[in-house]
């Protein structure tokens, strides 16, 4: 069963309320007060401990692998949707040699997005898309096409396709005056 963000938050709140009502938690709060975590020695301990824990090679390896798998999954979904391809590829030029060349693009640009989505980039955007079941409004482009679209408003591939289509239309409908 997949929970929505709101359901997940509500479960967390419920758990926190129950946890904080335990006698040992109440005793600890009474003994140390709310300022316990703000003590310099406690802050230092947590800082050192989190560095040691987070920088273990096996944790780093798992994180990287999870990130790669999630990226592949999201790119595959959008490639199937927009390019009708089982392999992740650029919607504009068809680049599919390496997934590292691909980027998630906002179809209408970031300006039109809600505030929570505007600042999502990289792995944060990928995980958000995965949690939201790959919503509409995004596509997969290679970094070249994505940059060209950002700088010039459209990709040179797109411009060439439009000119080619216009030339074919002129050929087919040759009206003589």
């Amino acid at each position: 069963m997949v929970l929505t963000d709101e359901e997940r938050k509500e479960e967390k709140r419920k758990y926190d309320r129950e946890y904080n009502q335990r006698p040992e938690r109440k005793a600890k709060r009474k003994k140390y007060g709310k300022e316990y975590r703000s003590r310099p020695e406690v802050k230092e301990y947590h800082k050192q401990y989190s560095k040691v824990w987070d920088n273990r090679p096996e944790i780093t390896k798992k994180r990287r692998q999870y990130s790669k798998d999630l990226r592949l999954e999201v790119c595959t979904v959008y490639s199937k949707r927009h390019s009708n391809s089982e392999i992740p590829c650029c919607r504009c030029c068809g680049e599919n040699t390496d997934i590292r060349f691909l980027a998630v693009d906002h179809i209408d640009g970031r300006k039109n997005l809600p505030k929570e989505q505007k600042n999502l980039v990289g792995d944060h955007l990928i995980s958000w898309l995965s949690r939201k079941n790959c919503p509409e409004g995004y596509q997969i482009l290679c970094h070249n096409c994505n940059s060209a679209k950002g700088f010039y408003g459209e990709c040179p591939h797109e411009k060439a396709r439009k000119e080619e289509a216009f030339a074919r239309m002129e050929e087919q409908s040759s009206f003589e005056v």
Side-chain angles (χ1 to χ4, degrees):
M1 182 174 98
V2 179
L3 298 176
T4 64
D5 284 343
E6 289 302 317
E7 291 171 336
R8 195 176 297 123
K9 285 177 186 176
E10 187 55 41
E11 279 191 12
K12 173 83 169 101
R13 282 188 212 112
K14 184 180 175 185
Y15 173 81
D16 287 345
R17 280 192 299 268
E18 290 172 2
Y19 178 76
N20 286 325
Q21 295 303 317
R22 294 179 183 170
E24 62 271 16
R25 286 293 298 157
K26 285 183 177 180
K28 223 177 205 182
R29 267 200 321 270
K30 190 173 184 180
K31 181 177 179 183
Y32 295 114
K34 291 182 179 179
E35 294 79 30
Y36 175 72
R37 293 215 35 134
S38 62
R39 291 182 185 174
E41 65 272 15
V42 173
K43 279 185 175 180
E44 188 61 32
Y45 171 79
H46 284 291
K47 190 190 254 183
Q48 292 300 321
Y49 182 74
S50 66
K51 280 183 184 177
V52 170
W53 180 264
D54 289 345
N55 292 331
R56 293 183 304 158
E58 61 271 16
I59 297 295
T60 305
K61 189 176 178 182
K62 281 182 182 179
R63 278 194 189 131
R64 284 188 184 141
Q65 188 59 46
Y66 176 76
S67 180
K68 285 178 185 177
D69 293 345
L70 199 59
R71 182 178 178 77
L72 178 65
E73 179 186 318
V74 168
C75 288
T76 303
V77 168
Y78 281 111
S79 290
K80 280 181 187 176
R81 188 179 295 167
H82 296 294
S83 306
N84 297 324
S85 172
E86 297 291 324
I87 300 169
C89 65
C90 175
R91 183 179 185 184
C92 184
C93 67
E95 169 67 49
N96 66 356
T97 55
D98 194 338
I99 195 166
R100 292 175 290 185
F101 294 149
L102 301 177
V104 176
D105 174 54
H106 306 83
I107 293 176
D108 294 331
R110 284 193 189 177
K111 293 177 186 174
N112 304 328
L113 293 174
K115 187 177 179 182
E116 81 166 293
Q117 296 175 34
K118 276 188 181 180
N119 299 327
L120 293 173
V121 292
D123 288 341
H124 297 290
L125 176 61
I126 297 291
S127 63
W128 184 86
L129 290 171
S130 178
R131 280 195 317 270
K132 298 293 183 180
N133 295 323
C134 299
E136 291 294 326
Y138 297 89
Q139 64 184 350
I140 302 299
L141 294 179
C142 67
H143 287 291
N144 287 337
C145 294
N146 193 19
S147 296
K149 181 183 169 196
F151 289 134
Y152 308 115
E154 69 179 354
C155 179
H157 300 117
E158 191 176 329
K159 189 175 182 180
R161 274 196 301 276
K162 284 180 183 176
E163 290 172 358
E164 199 176 291
F166 186 71
R168 267 190 267 124
M169 285 173 41
E170 281 184 338
E171 266 180 31
Q172 291 174 355
S173 61
S174 57
F175 290 108
E176 294 182 22
V177 180

